[in-house]
Amino acid sequence: IRLVGRIDLGRDRLILWDLGGQEGLRTIWEKYYSESNAILFVVDSADPDHLQQASEVFGESLSHLHSQHVYDT
């Protein structure tokens, strides 16, 4: 996990973290959801072999967010 950057926009501040997508790191993602106002899910499109896996992980993330009432449709 590493801090990518901070952007100050008037009274608001964006703090960007790279949590990593490796399977072993995904277990910590949920610790960040409740403190987040937005989530940016980045997929490496240069690696087409992992696109299906990325789609599944994204779906699981949305399901978790929805079940925790962090994300609501």
Side-chain angles (χ1 to χ4, degrees):
I1 302 170
R2 69 181 183 96
L3 177 64
V4 175
R6 290 189 176 119
I7 302 170
D8 290 315
L9 303 165
R11 296 183 324 206
D12 298 317
R13 173 178 281 174
L14 283 165
I15 301 173
L16 307 169
W17 295 95
D18 180 353
L19 301 181
Q22 295 86 353
E23 189 171 353
L25 294 174
R26 291 182 209 147
T27 58
I28 65 166
W29 288 1
E30 65 186 58
K31 294 176 174 45
Y32 290 82
Y33 293 152
S34 64
E35 299 293 323
S36 299
N37 296 100
I39 296 172
L40 180 65
F41 192 93
V42 178
V43 177
D44 181 359
S45 64
D47 189 358
D49 294 336
H50 288 101
L51 290 178
Q52 181 61 38
Q53 179 186 22
S55 176
E56 293 168 6
V57 170
F58 183 66
E60 292 167 7
S61 297
L62 289 179
S63 294
H64 179 81
L65 291 169
H66 186 69
S67 72
Q68 299 298 312
H69 303 289
V70 175
Y71 167 78
D72 198 2
T73 56

